Amino acid sequence: MRRVVVTGLGLVTPLGADVETAWANILASKSGAGMITRFDATDYVCRYACEVKPADHAYGFDPTKRVDHKVQRQVDPFIIFGIDAAGQALEDAGLTDMTEEQRLRAGCSIGSGIGGLPGIASESIVLHEKGPRRVSPHFVHGRLISLISGQVQIKYGLMGPNHAVVTACSTGAHSIGDAARMIMLDDADVMLAGGAEGAICPIGIAGFSQARALSSGFNDCPEKGSRPYDKGRDGFVMGEGAGVVCLEEYEHAKARGAKIYAEIVGYGMSGDAYHVTAPHPEGAGAFRSMQMAMKRSGLSLGDIDYINAHGTSTPLGDELELGAVRRLFGNAIGTLSMSSTKSAIGHLLGGAGAVESIFCILAMRDQIVPPTLNLDDPSEGCEGVDLVPHKPKERAVKAVLNNSFGFGGTNASLVMKAI
C-alpha cells in the first residue's frame, strides 16, 4: 500500500483566516465566540456563536484573495470558505503550477455536514413571496455540498477524483481518510481533502436550539459557552469555516523535495446503530472507530502523545468519549494529553474534523498541544487525564489521534505521525 503524507495546510476559522494566525490565537488561549452579528438573534434561545470575522477585523477573512467576485455572488459561505482553504493548502504545498499530466492525478475530497442552509432558507422565502420565476438560477449549484470540490477543481484544473463526503460532524475526518485511501490505492497522487461549514443563520441556530444541542446559558459571556468536560457545560457553540489539507503520495512528495508535515497512518470508521442524535450510552461506536484507526496505524497505544477530542461540550458526549478513550488506552492514558479545540473555535460541524486534524499536525510541528478553555470544574471521570486546561502545554508530540463523531451515529478517527 502506498504511503500518504500531508504537504499543505489551509484554514479559515473564527480565530483567523490562515493557518499561522489561527494557530497563534489558539495557543494564546483566545476564544472566537461572541454575540451573533449575522442577524438579529434577540428572540433566540442561543444568541452567540463563533463567527468567521469580517475582512476589516484584526484576523478577519477576505474572500477576494482566492474567490472570484462572480462566484462569491452565486454560492453560499461554506463554498467560499472551502475554496479559500483549499487554495491555501495548494499554495502551501507548492502545487499551484502543476503540469496537465500531474493535474490528471490530482483531485478533491472536500465535504460539508449541512451545506448551503442560508441560501436554501433565503430562496425559500423568495419562492413563497415572489414566485418560482424569481428564484436564483444559481440556487442549486450554489448550495450543493459537492460544489466545493467542483469549484476547486475548476479553479485549479484538477482532473482526478472529485468526491464530497456528507457525514454530519464526521465529514472533515472522513474526507481526509477517504482521500488518503484513494492515494493508497493509486487512484491519485495528490488530493485536497477536508470540510467546510457556514450554517450560522436563523434557521440553523433555531433548528439546533430546538434540538437542544446548542449552549444557551452564556448569553451574557459567550466566550464561556464552549466548555468541554466542565460540569457547567450545556451544549455546543456553533462555529463556521473550513480546513483543507493537501495529501500526497510519499515518493511523489519526496521526489519534488516537498515540505512534509506528517504521515496519515490510521483511519477508522464505525456506526453506533443507536440513535439519530444521542451517542451510544457505552461509547461503543467511538471505541471501535479509534480501535480500527490504531490497528491500521501499526502503532502501539503508548505511541500516541496527543488526542484532539471530538469534545463538543455536550452533557452526554464528552463523558462517553472520555470513557471510550479510557477503555481503549488503559494505562497508556496517563502518558498522553487530550484537549478539545472546540472550546476556542466552537463546533465547525462538517469542517471540524479537518480543522482539528490541522491542529494535530501543528502540535507535532511545534511540540506543543492546544488547551481546553473554560475547564474550571472538571466532570467526574476526568481524573488522571491530562485535558490541558486553560493554557497550551509544551511536550513531545510524535503521533496523534483525532476523533470526529456525528449525528446518526457516524464516527471517524485519524492517526497521524511525524516523519
Side-chain angles (χ1 to χ4, degrees):
M1 200 75 78
R2 305 195 322 160
R3 295 171 66 185
V4 181
V5 295
V6 180
T7 58
L9 308 174
L11 283 175
V12 176
T13 80
L15 280 176
D18 63 83
V19 171
E20 300 306 335
T21 301
W23 183 235
N25 284 331
I26 286 283
L27 295 183
S29 299
K30 292 184 179 180
S31 170
M35 303 307 289
I36 292 171
T37 64
R38 206 68 49 78
F39 61 92
D40 183 2
T42 303
D43 294 331
Y44 286 68
V45 175
C46 172
R47 300 193 288 276
Y48 50 96
C50 290
E51 297 176 325
V52 168
K53 308 303 184 285
D56 60 357
H57 190 277
Y59 43 84
F61 171 57
D62 180 3
T64 64
K65 286 184 177 180
R66 296 179 182 86
V67 187
D68 183 85
H69 283 286
K70 182 178 178 181
V71 173
Q72 290 182 49
R73 291 194 300 269
Q74 295 175 356
V75 305
D76 260 36
F78 81 104
I79 296 179
I80 297 172
F81 297 151
I83 294 172
D84 190 272
Q88 290 181 46
L90 203 62
E91 292 162 17
D92 187 33
L95 287 170
T96 54
D97 295 318
M98 287 185 280
T99 65
E100 182 174 353
E101 183 179 7
Q102 290 172 322
R103 288 186 282 112
L104 285 166
R105 299 275 300 168
C108 288
S109 173
I110 308 174
S112 178
I114 295 178
L117 193 60
I120 291 171
S122 63
E123 288 300 307
S124 296
I125 294 171
V126 170
L127 174 64
H128 177 72
E129 294 182 349
K130 299 182 179 180
R133 294 182 183 274
R134 298 297 297 275
V135 171
S136 170
H138 307 296
F139 170 66
V140 175
H141 62 256
R143 264 82 261 166
L144 284 177
I145 287 172
S146 62
L147 261 294
I148 305 176
S149 287
Q151 289 277 9
V152 169
Q153 294 204 231
I154 291 167
K155 181 177 177 67
Y156 295 104
L158 310 181
M159 295 173 278
N162 186 325
H163 186 59
V165 175
V166 187
T167 49
C169 305
S170 298
T171 296
H174 276 139
S175 296
I176 294 172
D178 287 357
R181 287 187 174 176
M182 291 175 197
I183 294 174
M184 289 175 187
L185 294 171
D186 201 21
D187 294 325
D189 295 323
V190 174
M191 290 291 295
L192 293 171
E197 207 72 83
I200 300 176
C201 62
I203 192 66
I205 296 296
F208 277 104
S209 292
Q210 289 300 98
R212 298 185 179 180
L214 290 184
S215 170
S216 61
F218 297 87
N219 285 311
D220 57 341
C221 49
E223 69 280 359
K224 299 291 185 181
S226 185
R227 45 196 319 110
Y229 308 107
D230 188 82
K231 288 180 181 177
R233 67 189 185 276
D234 68 338
F236 73 81
V237 176
M238 191 180 290
E240 63 181 358
V244 176
V245 296
C246 182
L247 302 182
E248 195 168 346
E249 192 273 324
Y250 174 64
E251 295 298 337
H252 186 278
K254 193 168 68 169
R256 66 182 188 88
K259 165 180 77 263
I260 295 176
Y261 286 102
E263 181 175 4
I264 308 290
V265 292
Y267 174 36
M269 300 176 283
S270 72
D272 285 359
Y274 175 71
H275 192 271
V276 292
T277 58
H280 190 281
E282 296 176 357
F287 174 85
R288 292 196 309 276
S289 178
M290 291 186 288
Q291 184 182 49
M292 182 184 296
M294 288 303 302
K295 180 180 178 181
R296 294 286 187 190
S297 75
L299 301 177
S300 68
L301 294 168
D303 290 330
I304 299 298
D305 299 304
Y306 172 63
I307 298 174
N308 190 296
H310 184 57
T312 58
S313 186
T314 55
L316 281 177
D318 290 5
E319 289 187 16
L320 292 175
E321 181 182 9
L322 184 54
V325 170
R326 281 189 184 278
R327 179 183 166 196
L328 178 63
F329 281 85
N331 292 334
I333 200 170
T335 64
L336 59 80
S337 297
M338 174 171 156
S339 67
S340 172
T341 46
K342 290 183 178 73
S343 61
I345 61 170
H347 189 0
L348 270 66
L349 308 177
V355 171
E356 291 156 11
S357 291
I358 291 173
F359 290 153
C360 284
I361 291 165
L362 295 171
M364 287 190 286
R365 184 193 71 177
D366 295 346
Q367 299 292 284
I368 188 170
V369 295
T372 303
L373 303 187
N374 302 317
L375 185 52
D376 302 325
D377 188 11
S379 294
E380 295 178 11
C382 292
E383 300 85 359
V385 183
D386 177 19
L387 294 171
V388 201
H390 307 302
K391 299 293 182 182
K393 178 178 181 178
E394 294 184 4
R395 58 157 296 161
V397 190
K398 296 180 180 179
V400 297
L401 171 69
N402 181 38
N403 283 331
S404 294
F405 312 134
F407 279 1
T410 178
N411 309 297
S413 298
L414 292 168
V415 177
M416 296 167 281
K417 71 175 185 178
I419 190 170

